[in-house]
Amino acid sequence: MNKHVFRLICLSMVILLTGCWDEVDIEERGFIIGSAIDLAENYDPDNPQITVTNQFVVPGQLDNPAQQGGGKAYENLSVSGGSVFGIEREMGTLTNLVPFFQHLKVIIVSEEVAREPNLFSSLMDFYIRDHEMRREIRVLISEGDARDILEIEPQNEDIPAMYIHDVVENRNRMLETLDPIRIGDVQEYLLDRSSYVIPQVIPNQDKVNYRGAGVFYGADDKLAGVLDEDEAAGLNLINGDKNGGTIHFEIDGRSMTYEIENMKSHTTIKPKDTEHIDISITVEVEGSISEMFGDRRLLQSEYISEIEEKIDEKMEQLINDTLEKGQHELGVDFFDFHRILQQDHYKVWKQIEDDWDRGKHIFSKSNIDVTADSTVRSTGSSDKTKNR
């Protein structure tokens, strides 16, 4: 055999058979499934210190009957420091496993952290920049300490972070819940410097409530306020991109529930007067009566029209209350009206962009008109369930 060919074969075998240079055995990896970020106990605004809690999976305790009662399927480790990167490096010295982030599902940030100017955006940099992070990681705001969310012990799930992730995904039937926000979405918000909302989780014994949202002011990426359930429902109606949820209202002094099956909204902006811009919002929904208290028959067209008027009133109330919160209480455009201005009236937008929800606060002085139009497509399987 030619000696050059022999050397080439030997070199190829050395390259191809040596394996991956940075290979780590799976038994040595510490799978992080959830992270929580809080302010450190001795927090100083001049020298910000935070506490990061990582939830590691303990594979040997997952769905293994032989191990029942032998321990939890997760371990929470907390470390305090001045940067997420430094904390993660220090955390690696507290465990015999190599921290591994490619299965990270949720990042929970406490309201206290989010209220510090520019701190939230600085902390997200690590999760956006690190090569192990995936763009689908869900980001949430917690009421109270974020680490407490990772301490709950759900009854039907071994790992709290997985339970929280599943709760976030099971959202379509509630008008009061916003779509989850990914870390990729957060990066776009930070680059755009526009205001935005991030869904909120609230601890409730061994469960969490996934309702409401935190409003972030784009100028300083600081939590400006919190939307309650009704205000989150109003925001979903304005956005018009949620097919599901219910509207509760009263008619003849009795409760009735309307289930939304289809929804669409349209927003038109007319910037004739740049100091008082006209905004028109139209929301149309279709659905059915899912529950009623009372004994009237539903097959009367006059009664159906009366019901639709009550639904319209309720929707307009939810929307106007949310607009009031954004325009006058917080002074923050988290409705994306600025994007419509930018797309449809670019020249006007360039004139007022520095005075929209900052400077002269033109957004707060805008005239917003709301029209809701509901249609009852079905009354359910029965038009009447009882007699007097």
Side-chain angles (χ1 to χ4, degrees):
M1 180 181 294
N2 185 297
K3 64 179 181 181
H4 295 295
V5 174
F6 178 75
R7 288 175 179 171
L8 181 61
I9 292 173
C10 291
L11 180 61
S12 299
M13 292 178 66
V14 168
I15 294 174
L16 297 176
L17 299 180
T18 49
C20 184
W21 64 272
D22 62 346
E23 180 184 34
V24 177
D25 291 337
I26 193 168
E27 294 82 2
E28 298 175 359
R29 291 192 186 276
F31 293 97
I32 297 173
I33 203 78
S35 294
I37 304 176
D38 295 286
L39 292 182
E41 291 185 2
N42 299 320
Y43 180 75
D44 179 0
D46 296 329
N47 183 25
Q49 297 287 301
I50 56 169
T51 298
V52 175
T53 301
N54 283 336
Q55 186 157 91
F56 290 81
V57 177
V58 180
Q61 300 295 336
L62 286 172
D63 297 326
N64 187 349
Q67 298 293 329
Q68 285 184 356
K72 298 178 180 178
Y74 65 91
E75 178 185 15
N76 292 341
L77 284 181
S78 297
V79 173
S80 298
S83 75
V84 180
F85 183 80
I87 289 172
E88 300 297 351
R89 285 296 177 94
E90 184 176 343
M91 195 169 290
T93 66
L94 301 177
T95 174
N96 60 332
L97 302 174
V98 179
F100 187 66
F101 288 92
Q102 287 196 8
H103 295 279
L104 181 60
K105 297 292 186 185
V106 293
I107 301 170
I108 305 165
V109 181
S110 74
E111 276 188 26
E112 280 188 326
V113 171
R115 290 188 187 280
E116 294 294 322
N118 299 312
L119 182 58
F120 174 76
S121 56
S122 299
L123 297 176
M124 289 299 103
D125 183 79
F126 170 77
Y127 298 98
I128 293 170
R129 191 179 301 277
D130 192 276
H131 69 280
E132 285 189 0
M133 304 298 173
R134 297 185 177 181
R135 308 288 284 179
E136 294 297 319
I137 300 169
R138 306 312 192 201
V139 181
L140 299 164
I141 301 300
S142 72
E143 184 183 87
D145 289 343
R147 67 169 72 89
D148 290 346
I149 304 290
L150 293 182
E151 294 290 346
I152 63 171
E153 296 185 5
Q155 296 180 357
N156 58 353
E157 177 61 61
D158 293 331
I159 303 174
M162 285 304 303
Y163 158 73
I164 296 163
H165 179 266
D166 292 345
V167 169
V168 169
E169 294 302 308
N170 184 25
R171 68 193 183 280
N172 287 333
R173 290 181 177 274
M174 296 289 291
L175 189 62
E176 297 83 0
T177 60
L178 301 181
D179 287 346
I181 298 298
R182 305 173 305 124
I183 191 71
D185 299 324
V186 172
Q187 183 184 18
E188 292 179 13
Y189 293 144
L190 298 180
L191 291 174
D192 189 42
R193 295 189 64 77
S194 58
S195 301
Y196 51 94
V197 296
I198 292 182
Q200 185 184 45
V201 285
I202 303 168
N204 182 9
Q205 296 181 350
D206 60 347
K207 296 181 175 58
V208 293
N209 286 339
Y210 176 67
R211 294 182 178 180
V215 177
F216 283 76
Y217 185 40
D220 57 7
D221 291 310
K222 171 186 170 184
L223 187 72
V226 176
L227 300 183
D228 63 21
E229 297 175 13
D230 285 345
E231 291 161 346
L235 181 59
N236 274 325
L237 289 169
I238 294 170
N239 292 334
D241 55 0
K242 195 176 186 74
N243 291 324
T246 55
I247 293 176
H248 305 280
F249 58 97
E250 286 194 358
I251 184 167
D252 298 332
R254 310 298 290 269
S255 296
M256 187 172 286
T257 302
Y258 175 74
E259 185 171 11
I260 298 172
E261 295 166 358
N262 292 296
M263 179 197 304
K264 60 181 178 181
S265 70
H266 183 68
T267 300
T268 304
I269 299 180
K270 295 180 179 178
K272 291 181 180 177
D273 179 357
T274 54
E275 295 292 325
H276 301 87
I277 289 177
D278 293 324
I279 301 174
S280 176
I281 303 171
T282 302
V283 181
E284 298 178 6
V285 298
E286 295 179 348
S288 59
I289 303 299
S290 58
E291 186 178 31
M292 64 176 289
F293 290 79
D295 51 16
R296 289 186 63 174
R297 300 184 71 89
L298 289 174
L299 293 182
Q300 301 169 348
S301 60
E302 296 82 5
Y303 192 42
I304 291 296
S305 298
E306 192 178 344
I307 290 171
E308 290 174 340
E309 287 180 10
K310 293 294 182 182
I311 298 170
D312 295 346
E313 289 176 6
K314 181 68 177 183
M315 287 198 296
E316 290 176 2
Q317 176 201 331
L318 291 170
I319 293 171
N320 283 321
D321 287 349
T322 308
L323 290 169
E324 173 67 20
K325 182 85 172 256
Q327 269 196 298
H328 301 124
E329 185 176 333
L330 303 179
V332 177
D333 173 19
F334 53 88
F335 308 98
D336 280 350
F337 294 143
H338 63 284
R339 295 187 192 279
I340 299 174
L341 270 169
Q342 191 173 13
Q343 292 169 5
D344 298 347
H345 308 282
Y346 184 71
K347 290 183 179 178
V348 173
W349 172 247
K350 295 305 290 182
Q351 294 174 13
I352 65 173
E353 63 177 332
D354 293 332
D355 292 314
W356 182 237
D357 59 1
R358 63 199 75 171
K360 295 181 180 178
H361 289 274
I362 293 174
F363 166 64
S364 296
K365 295 182 283 187
S366 298
N367 304 312
I368 304 181
D369 179 64
V370 176
T371 302
D373 184 14
S374 63
T375 302
V376 176
R377 292 293 185 198
S378 168
T379 60
S381 301
S382 174
D383 73 302
K384 189 177 182 183
T385 56
K386 63 181 179 181
N387 289 316
R388 287 181 185 279

